[in-house]
Amino acid sequence: MPKISAYEIEREANIARNRALLEQLELKETVASLGLPSAAPGKSTAKPVQPNKRVKREREEAAAPRRASARLRTGPYVDPNESPKSKKEREAEQEEARAREAEEALEAEERARAAKRPRHDDLVLATLVEDADPMDLSSLSEALKVTSQPRRVGTVEAMSESREAREIQELRDKLQGLKVVSRAKVTQDRIYSAAYHPEVTKDLIFFGDKHGQLGIWDARAPRDEVGDDETAESTSKDEQERGKYWRLQTHWPATSKSSISCVKFDPIDSHNVYTSAYDSTIRALSFTTSISREIFHAPDALITSIDLPSSGHEMWVSDSLGGLTHLDLREDKTARPRWYGLSDHKIGCISVNPREPHFLLTASNSKMLSIWDARKLSTIPVEDLSAAFGKDVSTPIDFDSDTVKRFCETKKGEGCHRGEWQHGKSASSAYWDPRGRNIVSTSYDDSLRLWDIDTAKLKTSGDATLPKPFRQIKHNCQTGKWLTILRAQWSLNTDCYPHFTVGNMEHSLDIYSSKGDVIAKLADRSKITAVQAVTCSHPNITERAASGNASGRCVLWAPADLADS
């Protein structure tokens, strides 16, 4: 057998590497055309769900006027022998044309600037749903015809160990069998936030994305007929989208400056949904009036999270400056809200205790989880408002972190800061459960922590250190730059044992009980190959959960027998 030269060995190695790369990119036709030997068959990978219809790209921004050459602006050929009268008329026409062109250029520049500015006026559905035809608007209005259901508050009751074990097992039996019953690319960009509507007759889920788009997904609605679309005919049933969805450009401009950080339903009227975004605005969309209106604008800070007490008349807003803003939703938006600087670092999460709404829970980049008493915060004295603010009623009342710190050190401020706990790294989220008793936090130190807090025993003075969490669970939270931060979200369903959902870097949706026991790890490698970073669950149906990933694709988890219903 002839000896193979080093050149031939390296050539064969290059061919093998190129073949492997082309097949990884699924360019098998290219491999065949190059005459490369086929590789041994490997494991098939899950294909992403295929859209039922072509997606229209976002509206292009108005283009700025282009520069024109001086030669072209000189106009047509001029007769050197023209009369003075003709010359005067020609110059007048040219001057008028130049003035008209200058005016058009200014208008184009203003349109371009306007396309980049946030929108603060009231917006109707026809404006929010870009390029929507009457049929789309009609089907959306029909989907939003839901029964208003107030948010329920859980009760704390003593349980024997046997009863507790039985309820946990019942919950495990219900949730371990959940399967992927519906998939769709609900938004065009990365999912940032989600909320499950309490309507029990349908699975209506709202997703906020990176570019200010609110996706509304009726996950089990009958699909529209696709027609003779060749792409749909060549797509298997498992790869097709299910349900119906609508994309509303709620926040503007459609860039990462408008990422929807939080989605919340009105706790007393679920016909209203609130969205906060990095464009420093909070908007309220009414299903009954089909109008989206701005209720708050904070031009100096990115809004990171919002929460509402069960009464529904107030809202607490956290921001990137380390502060909380208190809004009274019964007041006009020109009223002065109060802003409290509670940290020198970004507060990424705010949670209001559902049973005792004066207890506010915050998680910040300072590594701290803190509990604050809103009754005390509201008593911080405001010095000479007339001198500080004059007659400008739109000026907010700000209390910086030094002011809050000094107040907490006074006799009147005792109990304002009820407790805190320092994580190993930034605390990315912390939430009260529906009973107002348990707290779950997530942190970049790769841990989930659970507390059992008896609010009646929170100290009103002295050391504000919280007791140690009764459970600490190792959980990879290193999402990096391209994934949404993992947040453990409580189920708002008060009919079953308290539990929460959280995304997993291994592409599963994990469910834990309030005791920290693993209830289920939902996964389907034949359909899901991306991290389900954002999760939520139905407030009234135990066997429902939803999740979304970095490409805008969303999944409904439910009993398998609902897949074809």
Side-chain angles (χ1 to χ4, degrees):
M1 182 177 181
K3 185 177 179 180
I4 302 177
S5 66
Y7 169 78
E8 289 294 333
I9 294 175
E10 186 172 354
R11 178 175 175 275
E12 292 293 335
N14 287 336
I15 291 174
R17 282 196 297 269
N18 292 337
R19 182 190 62 233
L21 177 60
L22 290 171
E23 291 190 350
Q24 283 179 359
L25 297 174
E26 297 183 355
L27 300 177
K28 296 184 178 179
E29 294 81 0
T30 305
V31 176
S33 65
L34 293 176
L36 300 177
S38 59
K43 294 183 178 178
S44 61
T45 57
K47 292 183 179 180
V49 62
Q50 302 299 312
N52 288 338
K53 54 186 177 182
R54 295 184 183 274
V55 179
K56 293 183 179 179
R57 299 306 301 169
E58 296 150 344
R59 184 192 300 129
E60 294 183 359
E61 296 180 356
R66 294 184 178 181
R67 295 180 61 184
S69 70
R71 181 180 61 83
L72 294 177
R73 290 200 302 268
T74 57
Y77 169 75
V78 177
D79 184 359
N81 298 320
E82 69 177 337
S83 65
K85 181 179 179 181
S86 299
K87 181 179 179 181
K88 186 176 181 180
E89 292 176 351
R90 176 177 57 78
E91 289 177 345
E93 290 176 358
Q94 289 179 342
E95 183 64 27
E96 183 180 351
R98 281 194 292 268
R100 187 167 53 251
E101 289 175 359
E103 184 179 351
E104 292 174 353
L106 289 175
E107 291 177 355
E109 289 177 358
E110 177 58 30
R111 287 196 299 270
R113 285 193 293 267
K116 298 178 181 179
R117 290 196 294 261
R119 301 181 293 195
H120 300 290
D121 50 344
D122 292 351
L123 305 171
V124 297
L125 279 181
T127 302
L128 298 176
V129 185
E130 295 185 4
D131 301 321
D133 58 37
M135 291 296 293
D136 285 338
L137 293 175
S138 176
S139 61
L140 174 57
S141 299
E142 189 66 28
L144 295 180
K145 290 180 179 178
V146 292
T147 304
S148 178
Q149 301 185 30
R151 188 173 69 194
R152 298 181 294 168
V153 176
T155 58
V156 180
E157 56 178 324
M159 286 189 189
S160 64
E161 290 186 4
S162 59
R163 179 187 171 187
E164 192 170 42
R166 184 170 64 255
E167 291 201 7
I168 291 176
Q169 186 57 47
E170 289 176 357
L171 182 66
R172 186 175 285 116
D173 293 341
K174 289 180 178 180
L175 297 180
Q176 278 187 337
L178 299 189
K179 303 294 183 184
V180 176
V181 300
S182 185
R183 292 187 296 161
K185 184 172 170 55
V186 180
T187 64
Q188 288 179 294
D189 293 286
R190 183 202 305 184
I191 301 293
Y192 263 54
S193 52
Y196 215 127
H197 194 276
E199 174 64 47
V200 295
T201 62
K202 61 180 71 174
D203 292 288
L204 200 60
I205 313 162
F206 289 61
F207 294 95
D209 85 345
K210 182 179 179 178
H211 285 178
Q213 201 172 73
L214 180 66
I216 302 177
W217 187 29
D218 192 352
R220 293 196 302 117
R223 291 175 296 174
D224 293 328
E225 293 296 331
V226 182
D228 298 330
D229 191 288
E230 294 180 2
T231 304
E233 291 178 358
S234 62
T235 304
S236 68
K237 184 178 180 180
D238 285 341
E239 295 172 10
Q240 291 182 8
E241 293 185 328
R242 294 176 182 249
K244 295 180 181 178
Y245 59 83
W246 302 264
R247 295 168 176 168
L248 282 61
Q249 193 62 52
T250 310
H251 295 266
W252 189 262
T255 67
S256 57
K257 295 181 180 180
S258 300
S259 303
I260 297 181
S261 56
C262 197
V263 182
K264 294 281 185 179
F265 291 105
D266 189 322
I268 58 176
D269 184 4
S270 56
H271 288 130
N272 298 321
V273 60
Y274 297 100
T275 55
S276 64
Y278 290 171
D279 64 357
S280 303
T281 66
I282 300 174
R283 301 192 70 91
L285 172 63
S286 171
F287 301 170
T288 54
T289 64
S290 299
I291 293 176
S292 170
R293 60 186 179 88
E294 181 181 286
I295 63 171
F296 180 64
H297 178 217
D300 298 327
L302 296 181
I303 297 174
T304 58
S305 180
I306 60 175
D307 201 10
L308 299 92
S310 301
S311 66
H313 301 310
E314 303 169 83
M315 179 183 290
W316 286 92
V317 183
S318 65
D319 60 50
S320 60
L321 299 180
L324 292 185
T325 301
H326 175 253
L327 302 178
D328 189 331
L329 299 178
R330 294 165 293 189
E331 295 180 343
D332 187 84
K333 79 172 185 177
T334 59
R336 289 188 305 225
R338 288 196 168 208
W339 181 88
Y340 304 95
L342 304 183
S343 174
D344 295 328
H345 298 76
K346 180 182 81 172
I347 294 179
C349 184
I350 170 66
S351 179
V352 180
N353 189 294
R355 295 193 64 81
E356 299 182 75
H358 48 273
F359 285 131
L360 311 176
L361 178 65
T362 61
S364 76
N365 283 7
S366 65
K367 307 178 184 179
M368 287 297 182
L369 173 150
S370 298
I371 298 177
W372 303 86
D373 192 332
R375 296 171 299 184
K376 292 286 185 177
L377 286 174
S378 64
T379 63
I380 299 179
V382 181
E383 299 177 3
D384 195 4
L385 279 180
S386 59
F389 303 108
K391 297 181 180 180
D392 185 3
V393 297
S394 65
T395 304
I397 303 172
D398 294 351
F399 302 98
D400 59 27
S401 58
D402 291 337
T403 302
V404 175
K405 190 178 297 182
R406 286 196 302 268
F407 174 73
C408 291
E409 293 171 352
T410 64
K411 183 69 176 177
K412 189 177 181 180
E414 286 185 356
C416 181
H417 190 199
R418 289 299 182 95
E420 66 180 13
W421 178 268
Q422 183 170 344
H423 295 69
K425 293 184 179 180
S426 297
S428 50
S429 70
Y431 298 100
W432 293 102
D433 79 331
R435 306 172 303 170
R437 181 65 181 255
N438 286 113
I439 294 173
V440 61
S441 75
T442 54
S443 170
Y444 276 115
D445 63 6
D446 292 339
S447 292
L448 308 178
R449 292 177 174 86
L450 285 161
W451 284 264
D452 185 2
I453 302 293
D454 185 352
T455 52
K457 296 180 180 179
L458 284 176
K459 296 179 180 180
T460 57
S461 61
D463 185 13
T465 302
L466 288 175
K468 291 182 179 181
F470 70 83
R471 189 72 182 270
Q472 182 169 323
I473 305 166
K474 296 302 295 180
H475 192 84
N476 184 359
C477 296
Q478 303 302 315
T479 53
K481 181 180 180 180
W482 306 109
L483 292 177
T484 303
I485 296 172
L486 302 184
R487 299 170 182 260
Q489 300 279 1
W490 290 102
S491 168
L492 300 180
N493 191 345
T494 60
D495 295 331
C496 56
Y497 194 83
H499 60 282
F500 62 87
T501 60
V502 63
N504 190 305
M505 297 298 287
E506 299 297 324
H507 304 171
S508 66
L509 184 152
D510 296 353
I511 305 177
Y512 292 88
S513 74
S514 60
K515 293 294 183 183
D517 301 317
V518 177
I519 300 299
K521 287 184 176 291
L522 306 178
D524 188 340
R525 299 194 180 279
S526 66
K527 297 179 181 178
I528 297 175
T529 58
V531 176
Q532 303 299 294
V534 179
T535 67
C536 61
S537 49
H538 200 296
N540 293 317
I541 303 176
T542 305
E543 301 94 333
R544 292 289 193 283
S547 56
N549 67 20
S551 65
R553 291 183 169 88
C554 304
V555 174
L556 172 65
W557 304 85
D561 57 4
L562 295 179
D564 297 319
S565 62

